[in-house]
């Protein structure tokens, strides 16, 4: 039979529950690390970590800062990353918008939400790239150990002096990626 104009663009109840699950994953991601760097050297075979949560830094920050002092790198601290003061609110807002989308069940709102995810993810990657470039290329020329500027990778392996460094995504990022995948399922499921 004929469908009314508004009904054709509505998401199913199952899709709405999928969006609720995505919202829950986004909230849970706030309690887990989103990114980390692991530094291994002969004098630190167990490795040193910088662990980035949406609202704080963790790991052996003081030891890493002490070592970075020798090459003239700025200290890693929460005051050097103002994003940590407002990122939890942005992520919480995204979770709330995802829940609102589940309640409204409109495809047009879902498209907008997916757009926000893509823009937010892109800005997050750009921000992290910018921070890594700033820390690796603005080395103090009066530092005890002279070395060429460098940019640590967002993901992957790097060698700085005698340190082997691995940059990895944390569980929180995987939860957000899973939430994003859940957002795409209703577009396929309710495509008619």
């Amino acid at each position: 039979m004929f469908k009314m104009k508004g009904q054709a663009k509505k998401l199913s109840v199952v899709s709405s529950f999928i969006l609720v699950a995505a919202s829950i994953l986004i909230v849970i991601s706030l309690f887990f690390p989103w990114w980390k760097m692991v530094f291994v050297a002969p004098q630190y075979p167990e490795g040193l970590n910088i662990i980035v949560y949406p609202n704080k830094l963790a790991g052996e920050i003081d030891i890493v800062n002490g070592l970075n002092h020798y090459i003239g790198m700025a200290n890693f601290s929460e005051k050097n990353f103002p994003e940590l003061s407002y990122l939890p609110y942005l992520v919480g807002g995204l979770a709330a918008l995802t829940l609102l989308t589940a309640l409204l069940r409109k495809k047009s709102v879902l498209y907008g939400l997916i757009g926000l995810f893509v823009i937010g993810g892109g800005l997050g990657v750009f921000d992290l790239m910018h921070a890594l470039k700033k820390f690796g290329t603005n080395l103090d020329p009066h530092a005890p150990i002279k070395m060429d500027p460098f940019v640590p990778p967002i993901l992957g392996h790097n060698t700085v002096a005698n340190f082997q460094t691995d940059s990895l995504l944390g569980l929180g990022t995987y939860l957000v990626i899973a939430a994003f995948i859940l957002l795409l399922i209703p577009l396929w499921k309710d495509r008619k």
Side-chain angles (χ1 to χ4, degrees):
M1 289 287 191
F2 296 104
K3 285 188 176 182
M4 289 180 11
K5 216 176 186 181
Q7 287 179 324
K9 297 181 181 181
K10 277 276 202 192
L11 296 171
S12 69
V13 173
V14 171
S15 291
S16 186
F17 280 116
I18 291 170
L19 296 178
V20 170
S23 179
I24 292 168
L25 288 178
I26 296 167
V27 171
I28 292 171
S29 79
L30 288 167
F31 301 98
F32 293 96
W34 279 29
W35 186 78
K36 72 177 182 175
M37 290 183 83
V38 180
F39 306 87
V40 177
Q43 65 271 38
Y44 296 101
E46 72 285 355
L48 301 171
N49 296 299
I50 293 178
I51 303 168
V52 181
Y53 287 80
N55 63 337
K56 66 180 180 179
L57 297 176
E60 294 80 26
I61 304 292
D62 292 337
I63 297 171
V64 172
N65 283 336
L67 294 167
N68 284 345
H69 165 76
Y70 290 107
I71 63 170
M73 185 181 279
N75 282 343
F76 289 105
S77 70
E78 290 174 16
K79 79 173 178 111
N80 287 338
F81 293 96
E83 303 88 343
L84 299 177
S85 65
Y86 59 80
L87 186 58
Y89 299 106
L90 293 177
V91 174
L94 193 60
L97 287 174
T98 304
L99 187 58
L100 181 64
T101 303
L103 295 173
L104 294 175
R105 295 177 48 206
K106 292 185 177 179
K107 277 190 181 180
S108 59
V109 177
L110 179 57
Y111 283 120
L113 179 64
I114 290 169
L116 279 176
F117 254 84
V118 171
I119 291 168
L123 289 173
V125 169
F126 174 78
D127 186 57
L128 182 55
M129 283 174 42
H130 176 72
L132 291 172
K133 183 177 180 181
K134 180 177 77 173
F135 276 91
T137 59
N138 293 327
L139 302 176
D140 183 353
H142 305 295
I145 299 173
K146 307 290 183 230
M147 62 181 309
D148 292 331
F150 63 97
V151 180
I154 289 180
L155 291 175
H157 185 78
N158 191 27
T159 301
V160 178
N162 66 336
F163 279 86
Q164 301 297 315
T165 307
D166 288 300
S167 303
L168 311 159
L169 296 179
L171 178 58
T173 299
Y174 288 114
L175 291 171
V176 172
I177 291 169
F180 180 72
I181 292 168
L182 288 179
L183 294 183
L184 300 177
I185 291 172
L187 293 182
W188 174 81
K189 185 183 167 312
D190 298 336
R191 64 193 177 278
K192 292 182 181 180

